[in-house]
Amino acid sequence: MTAQTFELNHCYNMDCMEAMAAFPNDYFDLAVVDPPYFSGPERRGFYGSKVSRIGVHRDYPVSPAWEVPGKEYFDELTRVSRHYIIWGCNYFSYGFAPGRIVWDKCNQATSFSDCEIAATDLLKTIRLFRYMWSGMMQGKSISEGHIMQGNKSLNEVRVHPTQKPVVLYDWIFQNFAKPGQKVLDTHLGSGSSRIAAYEAGVDFIGFEIDPFYFKTQEERFANYTNQTSLFHMR
Ligand SMILES: C[S@@+](CC[C@H](N)C(=O)[O-])C[C@H]1O[C@@H](n2cnc3c(N)ncnc32)[C@H](O)[C@@H]1O
């Protein structure tokens, strides 16, 4: 495999380590990644009942175990991409650059983490993004993320146990990427990053190892692009 094996603006059902080996140094302008920091969410019934109270189906076929990445993964990621945004950096022991992005999920009343943290070499400071993401409670927009979306029918549908909102990636690409740049997501999950990349006009490649989630995000992306081409709106 070489970089030419992979088409821009396509996603692939494969192990990201195998895929990254095909790319030369600094091929991507930016990697925006969200690797698993513990194994468990992929297991059937990990979160309890078959359908969560927010509607995520858990009666999936049993998935391959999520492997928590080590130094080899981060070395490879920083080899193939000039810059990075790595979610969950607080769970990994690696010499990340000092920049941090903090996503405040505005969910203080729950037992879940209040925030998620990403390491980035694009900043020397810490930037805060506020967007409500707690069960059925979702934010209104990038600028009014701390205010709950009143109309639940407009909520983003959850298709993956650790899905991040598309709006978070919209904000990332608006602030840290330019149209036409090459962007990599090694751990695609629900494909939220892919949808935001499409809107931002960046050239995107994503990898997802799990066949079920891969198919789910393919369908989600196809539905999204069909709808936007019909209505020209999200
Ligand atoms: C934390 S989730 C990503 C969630 C994603 N950011 C979203 O918004 O939906 C991690 C994903 O990485 C996938 N995965 C785990 N190991 C992988 C590997 N070696 N290569 C590619 N994907 C992998 C898992 O199946 C899971 O869907």
Side-chain angles (χ1 to χ4, degrees):
M1 281 192 306
T2 66
Q4 284 71 42
T5 313
F6 300 100
E7 267 184 74
L8 291 172
N9 300 313
H10 278 71
C11 291
Y12 297 88
N13 182 198
M14 65 185 292
D15 185 334
C16 64
M17 285 301 284
E18 198 187 320
M20 282 194 290
F23 291 93
N25 294 357
D26 291 340
Y27 179 86
F28 294 97
D29 297 291
L30 176 65
V32 182
V33 300
D34 182 20
Y37 56 82
F38 74 112
S39 188
E42 76 281 15
R43 279 185 231 134
R44 189 193 324 221
F46 180 83
Y47 288 100
S49 61
K50 276 191 173 174
V51 181
S52 76
R53 79 190 155 82
I54 56 168
V56 176
H57 282 257
R58 299 174 182 135
D59 48 350
Y60 304 137
V62 176
S63 307
W66 288 6
E67 200 178 313
V68 178
K71 181 176 180 304
E72 277 169 23
Y73 165 79
F74 295 110
D75 284 349
E76 190 63 345
L77 187 75
T78 52
R79 181 187 69 75
V80 298
S81 186
R82 290 171 49 232
H83 297 289
Y84 60 78
I85 294 174
I86 299 174
W87 287 103
C89 63
N90 46 314
Y91 296 101
F92 305 114
S93 175
Y94 191 76
F96 297 119
R100 294 288 180 270
I101 296 170
V102 175
W103 166 34
D104 174 359
K105 301 198 265 189
C106 308
N107 67 1
Q108 278 78 350
T110 74
S111 57
F112 293 106
S113 287
D114 293 345
C115 298
E116 291 198 27
I117 308 175
T120 181
D121 59 344
L122 292 163
L123 294 169
K124 290 197 165 48
T125 52
I126 303 175
R127 292 280 308 275
L128 176 67
F129 177 67
R130 299 184 75 200
Y131 184 79
M132 192 179 295
W133 190 248
S134 176
M136 289 297 285
M137 296 190 301
Q138 297 188 10
K140 264 187 163 178
S141 60
I142 286 186
S143 57
E144 293 187 309
H146 59 295
I147 299 172
M148 188 169 58
Q149 164 70 263
N151 183 351
K152 299 273 189 295
S153 70
L154 297 177
N155 274 1
E156 184 175 322
V157 176
R158 306 250 204 155
V159 299
H160 187 283
T162 62
Q163 180 168 332
K164 287 184 161 50
V166 173
V167 173
L168 172 67
Y169 290 103
D170 285 337
W171 178 83
I172 286 174
F173 294 138
Q174 283 173 23
N175 284 279
F176 301 106
K178 292 189 180 65
Q181 286 189 330
K182 293 195 193 78
V183 172
L184 166 68
D185 185 348
T186 51
H187 294 77
L188 199 50
S190 66
S192 290
S193 56
R194 183 185 192 180
I195 292 173
Y198 172 80
E199 285 294 332
V202 296
D203 284 332
F204 183 86
I205 296 185
F207 301 103
E208 169 56 52
I209 202 168
D210 186 307
F212 179 83
Y213 293 132
F214 180 77
K215 183 167 173 283
T216 303
Q217 70 72 35
E218 286 287 299
E219 287 166 2
R220 184 182 184 215
F221 185 70
N223 287 339
Y224 180 81
T225 52
N226 287 343
Q227 271 171 21
T228 46
S229 62
L230 279 178
F231 302 115
H232 302 286
M233 56 182 281
R234 184 183 293 160

